[in-house]
Amino acid sequence: MVCPGVGKTALAVHAAHLLKDRFPDRQLFIDLHAYTPGQDPMLPEAALAGLLTAVGVDARYLPPDLEGRAVLWRDRMVGQRVLLVLDNAASSDQVTPLLPRGGGFLVLVTSRKHLGDLPGSVVPVLLDALPPDKAREMFLRLVPSAATAPEKAVEELVRLTGYLPLAIWLLARVYARHPAWTLADLIGETRASMLTLTAEGDNVAAAFDVSYRYLSPGRQQFFRRLGLHPGTTIDAYAAAALVGLPLRQAYGHLDALHGEGLLTEVGYRRYGMHDLIRRYAQDLAATDSEVDRSQGLEHLLDYYQHTAAICEALLARRIRTSPAAAAATSPPAAVPDLSDRPQALAWARAERVSLIACLEYATRSGQHARVTAFAAAIASLLRQDGPWTDAITIHTTAVQAARHLGDRLDQANALNNLGDARLATGDYRGAAEVLEEALSIYRDLGNQLGVASALNDLGVVRLATGDYPGGTEALEEALGICRDLGERLGVANALNYLGSARRLTGDYPGAAQALEEAVDIYRDLGDRAGEAEALNEVGTLHRVQGDLDLAEASHRQSLALAREIGSSWNEGHALAGLGRCARAAGRTADAEPDLRQAWEIFQRSGAAEAAGVAAELDALTNPGPTASM
């Protein structure tokens, strides 16, 4: 067992920094949360999802199971020189699926446990507290002014820290902050703290207590409140809501606590805590009244729910079937500037872990209305970034919460989101089942927008399973409803899929008309992802009609848009379309690189389209009878 506070993470990060030039392709860090208070150890499936998305895999196409993700991860790392830091590991079972195969990589694993059964060539480095002379050297390096102090005083101080680097570092900061103190004063403060503490790692906790004791009462309260946060990072807006302070004061407290060494800056103006400090803050928070704790958490949940709903309204590419979830909560005093889609997406991605942590807290505490609201407010983020398996779990939880409340509209909305997530994973039967249920509820409630939304997704499911008449019927009904209600995004979505349906059934003029109108609406709405998707379908339509010049022009427009907005799915389809056009024109040399790039994109993201494109690449070198594509 390696003791906490000994400097495992700091050593690993320092070593990684020194070695990074030897591994130019990738340097990756992931916290596995083995001992993070309030957090379960990260499942290897979730860790692989984070690693795969970090190296460019579209999260929508992640394999649903551990083995599939591990295989994809190993495949992506082949031939690359990679440095990977796996921090705070719980067990070998958690770490083993994350290890690449072959040569060219180095993995640094930190853990409080000895992981003796890891595969491959393992060099264990067992850390202990510092030797007394090294502990003394560390303190004097951090506080050069202490060099003139009596040697025995320095020795006594580092002895009280248990020679743990984290405790030495914190006490050095305290001493530097109080120039009027002598080392005897600091020693006395540390001894007094140790007499009152019984937490794990008394020496480290004593250092925390010395740092905490000399904060102002307001800053002490602020620090205690941070211990209530369900997630692992926080910014000033969330902190202001949690503590009930103006934004400017929250900024000041966060900066000050960072200066004291009680917070770490994990991103621009975003802060986290060492696991032991988080536990210390939680213990302190438990001494406050239950009313104060509950009120702070309620305000924090209100903030996240309200702000996430604002983002959802900007990110949604689906019909909104009910008012924003934020309408049911107390609007926070301050929220970030979220006036456009890029800002909303950046905020949602930065707060993703916190939002899911709040949803899980609401689930554990039986706050069913919050569960449905949070799930609805992150639906578009999950739809865009995945993993879709996570989306299925979250929306299933929301369905159950809505049923418990007897709220049929929220139940239908959650079922609709669940159907969309199942559709994305290729579970057409499961998607059809929940979408039919959602459709039935929407019809009972007379919610026409909901009816149109469910019909649109059902239409796509039916097309995917070869039921062209059924798919066309559903899409045409959705289109009619959206036209009647003036819901232009719904009109564009239905027209886009109707274009596919009509092309598949040979109605090329009808397909062209539908797609032309869809492109126009997407452009008017500024929905560039929708425009890119529709342009790819336009290109496919031109190609099957034999107009290869127009087909290539449409695919190139889509490709430019996809690269501009970072949509790998649309980029892959545009490249595949260009390769098919070149192949149809007999330009094999031009077709091969475009199809290969498309295959690489689909293969990296685990998309089913990869197999089809691979077959087309094989056909370029082994030509046979030309098949219709």
Side-chain angles (χ1 to χ4, degrees):
M1 177 74 73
V2 178
C3 62
V6 78
K8 301 180 295 296
T9 300
L11 177 61
V13 170
H14 180 66
H17 178 75
L18 293 176
L19 296 168
K20 67 178 183 179
D21 290 342
R22 301 185 188 181
F23 301 91
D25 295 322
R26 304 277 184 188
Q27 301 102 40
L28 300 168
F29 176 98
I30 188 166
D31 186 347
L32 299 176
H33 294 300
Y35 299 97
T36 302
Q39 295 281 310
D40 292 329
M42 184 179 291
L43 294 174
E45 294 93 331
L48 284 166
L51 291 170
L52 286 165
T53 54
V55 299
V57 174
D58 189 329
R60 295 175 300 174
Y61 301 110
L62 288 174
D65 61 309
L66 174 61
E67 180 59 26
R69 292 182 183 185
V71 170
L72 180 58
W73 167 244
R74 292 193 294 265
D75 184 67
R76 287 300 311 278
M77 293 299 100
V78 170
Q80 295 200 45
R81 297 192 62 78
V82 179
L83 176 59
L84 176 62
V85 178
L86 302 176
D87 188 40
N88 209 3
S91 66
S92 297
D93 288 341
Q94 184 189 37
V95 169
T96 300
L98 314 183
L99 301 177
R101 297 280 174 86
F105 67 89
L106 174 67
V107 182
L108 303 177
V109 183
T110 75
S111 178
R112 294 188 196 177
K113 297 180 178 179
H114 176 57
L115 307 181
D117 54 347
L118 287 173
S121 177
V122 178
V123 180
V125 178
L126 301 180
L127 298 185
D128 200 347
L130 294 171
D133 60 331
K134 293 297 182 182
R136 178 178 178 278
E137 180 183 335
M138 176 182 176
F139 183 81
L140 293 176
R141 188 184 303 118
L142 293 170
V143 190
S145 62
T148 58
E151 185 174 334
K152 288 187 177 180
V154 178
E155 290 174 352
E156 172 65 5
L157 180 67
V158 297
R159 184 189 68 78
L160 290 174
T161 68
Y163 308 114
L164 294 173
L166 179 60
I168 294 169
W169 181 69
L170 283 168
L171 288 182
R173 288 198 170 216
V174 172
Y175 188 63
R177 194 176 68 250
H178 295 279
W181 287 14
T182 65
L183 274 188
D185 295 327
L186 183 58
I187 289 169
E189 293 288 339
T190 306
R191 281 177 175 159
S193 297
M194 292 184 69
L195 291 175
T196 61
L197 293 170
T198 59
E200 175 191 23
D202 287 343
N203 300 306
V204 182
F208 300 161
D209 197 57
V210 173
S211 296
Y212 172 79
R213 190 184 310 158
Y214 287 92
L215 299 174
S216 67
R219 194 154 289 161
Q220 287 181 343
Q221 182 193 50
F222 186 90
F223 177 73
R224 294 195 304 273
R225 288 289 191 275
L226 295 186
L228 299 174
H229 195 290
T232 57
T233 67
I234 196 168
D235 70 357
Y237 289 95
L242 177 61
V243 188
L245 289 177
L247 183 63
R248 184 177 294 276
Q249 288 187 33
Y251 272 123
H253 284 316
L254 288 170
D255 286 343
L257 291 175
H258 175 249
E260 298 289 343
L262 294 172
L263 296 179
T264 57
E265 194 167 25
V266 297
Y268 177 69
R269 294 288 192 177
R270 179 168 295 280
Y271 299 90
M273 291 181 178
H274 186 282
D275 288 353
L276 291 179
I277 297 178
R278 184 181 305 281
R279 183 174 293 117
Y280 179 74
Q282 289 175 345
D283 289 344
L284 289 174
T287 66
D288 289 334
S289 73
E290 184 177 351
V291 171
D292 287 344
R293 296 197 308 270
S294 297
Q295 185 179 61
L297 269 171
E298 286 301 301
H299 289 163
L300 179 72
L301 295 173
D302 281 347
Y303 163 75
Y304 279 124
Q305 186 178 326
H306 176 93
T307 313
I310 293 173
C311 289
E312 173 66 17
L314 290 166
L315 296 175
R317 295 200 59 241
R318 294 162 56 80
I319 302 169
R320 294 174 62 84
T321 59
S322 59
T329 70
S330 303
V335 296
D337 179 14
L338 300 171
S339 56
D340 59 30
R341 193 176 188 279
Q343 290 175 331
L345 184 58
W347 183 89
R349 284 173 169 167
E351 296 288 4
R352 177 192 173 102
V353 172
S354 291
L355 291 169
I356 293 177
C358 287
L359 187 151
E360 291 172 344
Y361 172 82
T363 302
R364 291 193 303 271
S365 56
Q367 299 185 53
H368 303 295
R370 284 210 191 271
V371 170
T372 60
F374 269 113
I378 62 174
S380 291
L381 175 67
L382 293 171
R383 189 173 194 264
Q384 174 160 327
D385 287 358
W388 289 327
T389 49
D390 288 357
I392 289 172
T393 300
I394 287 170
H395 294 313
T396 299
T397 301
V399 171
Q400 294 166 350
R403 284 175 177 157
H404 183 90
L405 291 169
D407 188 325
R408 299 193 73 210
L409 179 56
D410 275 353
Q411 181 182 344
N413 290 339
L415 286 165
N416 203 356
N417 286 328
L418 177 59
D420 183 61
R422 287 182 174 176
L423 169 61
T425 63
D427 179 10
Y428 302 131
R429 181 176 179 178
E433 179 183 333
V434 293
L435 289 170
E436 292 281 6
E437 185 178 355
L439 178 61
S440 177
I441 296 173
Y442 285 134
R443 290 196 192 278
D444 287 348
L445 296 174
N447 188 309
Q448 288 296 90
L449 282 176
V451 169
S453 180
L455 283 170
N456 203 49
D457 286 342
L458 270 173
V460 177
V461 170
R462 290 169 182 171
L463 291 181
T465 56
D467 180 7
Y468 300 154
T472 300
E473 180 183 0
L475 292 167
E476 286 179 343
E477 184 179 352
L479 176 61
I481 293 171
C482 291
R483 287 199 192 279
D484 290 344
L485 297 176
E487 174 55 56
R488 299 188 73 213
L489 177 59
V491 169
N493 290 340
L495 286 168
N496 191 21
Y497 294 124
L498 270 174
S500 299
R502 292 171 180 172
R503 170 178 58 80
L504 290 168
T505 56
D507 180 9
Y508 298 154
Q513 182 181 7
L515 291 170
E516 182 180 356
E517 187 178 355
V519 170
D520 288 342
I521 295 174
Y522 284 135
R523 284 174 177 164
D524 285 346
L525 295 175
D527 187 339
R528 292 180 294 173
E531 181 183 352
E533 186 176 342
L535 283 170
N536 268 331
E537 183 57 38
V538 170
T540 300
L541 176 63
H542 284 312
R543 178 172 55 80
V544 297
Q545 291 180 286
D547 196 331
L548 299 181
D549 290 340
L550 285 177
E552 287 193 15
S554 294
H555 288 308
R556 291 196 186 282
Q557 289 181 61
S558 178
L559 181 62
L561 275 173
R563 287 175 171 169
E564 181 183 346
I565 63 177
S567 173
S568 60
W569 186 83
N570 278 316
E571 180 181 0
H573 278 277
L575 287 165
L578 288 170
R580 288 162 184 161
C581 288
R583 183 183 173 198
R587 303 195 317 271
T588 302
D590 294 333
E592 195 275 338
D594 286 335
L595 287 172
R596 187 163 300 282
Q597 285 185 66
W599 174 79
E600 289 173 354
I601 290 172
F602 291 140
Q603 191 268 344
R604 284 198 303 266
S605 61
E609 289 90 340
V613 176
E616 294 176 59
L617 280 168
D618 183 66
L620 290 176
T621 54
N622 300 286
T626 302
S628 175
M629 293 179 290

